[in-house]
Amino acid sequence: MAFLNSIESVVTIILMIALGFILRQRGWFADSFAGNISRLITNIALPASIFVSVLKFLTRDKLVSLSGGLVYAFLSFAISYLVAYILAYVFKVRPGRKGTFINVVVNANTIFIGLPLNVALFGNQALSYFLVYYVMNTISTWAIGALIIANDSPDKGQKAFNWKKLLPAPLVGFLVALVFLLLAIPVPDFATSTLTYVGNLVTPLSLIYIGIVLADAGLKSIHLDKDTVVALVGRFIFAPAVMLTLLVFAGGFLGHLPHLEAQTLAVQAATPALAVLPILANEANGDVKYATNVVTTSTILFVVIVPVVNTIATMLFK
């Protein structure tokens, strides 16, 4: 039953991605449209959605209880970085690709795939659990992952890292919501309604954006070389395996999480590679074609992997 439910949820996501793919191929969207959507989601719609979700689904007591999930997420990312470096060393991933390779294994596409997937599978009641993974993933991406890509650059004249990226708009929305929650600041009904409507744009626009990206990348350009295959194995097998292992065997001393939170963390660990990797690779003069290929391939393969991971998580955490 869990597998069928996962399939149904993923089919819904596939159809919306396909809509963006088809409309882009038919010329409905200008070349700048994907970038416009990305900015709208990241800077406006997602912060609004997170702000409303925090105030709707979190309480002060529940906020304290989420700290356990942060510990699991932190340990999962730390172990995944170790695994990624070992894989890069063993399989001799060359400079220019190594930073992208490590990021593929460790960091997930929580905004454009993770959030709509989580809502489709578990509903809005799991949004607070999603935020746990999102916060850790954001910190990991911009505090560690982006620096790894920059330092992997063959260009010694690379640009300095922009520390402002450590506080992207979605994370700011989360932090502002925490202030309102902890200080019990009332939010007028009209403001809540407006933010809710704007926040509801996230899921459909995110999936349409992925479809446009896939159309621009071109499915015919996908190829499976050694570095791509190993990175995908790390993303879809090692990363969720690390999270599942921690959730099952570390509960004795870290404390067991609610089953819905455990499922959320497991599924988020199996989402595709970051959509921004080609951009980061380009800024560092790295292998942009490799970054584009691995992001495109992982975005397609996740529709097969997620139902399997969700089924395993459902069986383990009842």
Side-chain angles (χ1 to χ4, degrees), residues 216-260:
D216 288 341
L219 299 182
K220 293 182 180 179
S221 66
I222 294 175
H223 60 279
L224 297 175
D225 57 17
K226 171 181 65 69
D227 292 346
T228 299
V229 170
V230 177
L232 293 174
V233 169
R235 172 92 301 267
F236 289 131
I237 296 180
F238 284 110
V242 167
M243 179 63 80
L244 286 168
T245 301
L246 284 171
L247 290 168
V248 171
F249 295 104
F253 56 93
L254 291 179
H256 293 286
L257 300 179
H259 68 91
L260 191 57

Side-chain angles (χ1 to χ4, degrees), residues 10-26:
V10 169
V11 167
T12 300
I13 289 174
I14 292 174
L15 291 175
M16 297 184 73
I17 291 175
L19 176 63
F21 183 91
I22 293 170
L23 293 181
R24 172 57 176 162
Q25 283 200 323
R26 292 189 176 183

Side-chain angles (χ1 to χ4, degrees), residues 160-179:
F161 177 69
N162 184 3
W163 291 98
K164 292 181 180 180
K165 289 184 177 180
L166 277 175
L167 280 178
L171 186 55
V172 172
F174 176 69
L175 296 175
V176 172
L178 287 184
V179 173

Side-chain angles (χ1 to χ4, degrees), residues 1-17 116-122 207 302-304 306-308 310-311:
M1 181 63 71
F3 184 79
L4 292 178
N5 290 338
S6 300
I7 291 292
E8 290 179 357
S9 299
V10 169
V11 167
T12 300
I13 289 174
I14 292 174
L15 291 175
M16 297 184 73
I17 291 175
L117 176 65
N118 215 68
V119 172
L121 288 175
F122 309 122
L207 298 176
F302 97 96
V303 301
V304 177
V306 164
V308 176
N310 186 47
T311 301

Side-chain angles (χ1 to χ4, degrees), residues 83-95 97-98 101 105 225-234 238 290:
V83 170
Y85 270 102
I86 292 174
L87 290 174
Y89 176 78
V90 170
F91 290 95
K92 298 179 172 60
V93 181
R94 68 172 184 261
R97 285 188 173 188
K98 186 176 180 181
F101 177 92
V105 176
D225 57 17
K226 171 181 65 69
D227 292 346
T228 299
V229 170
V230 177
L232 293 174
V233 169
F238 284 110
Y290 171 72

Side-chain angles (χ1 to χ4, degrees), residues 244-293:
L244 286 168
T245 301
L246 284 171
L247 290 168
V248 171
F249 295 104
F253 56 93
L254 291 179
H256 293 286
L257 300 179
H259 68 91
L260 191 57
E261 183 172 10
Q263 286 179 259
T264 295
L265 295 180
V267 167
Q268 289 302 314
T271 49
L274 289 161
V276 298
L277 286 183
I279 298 173
L280 294 177
N282 181 63
E283 290 179 352
N285 293 324
D287 193 333
V288 179
K289 289 185 177 179
Y290 171 72
T292 302
N293 179 58

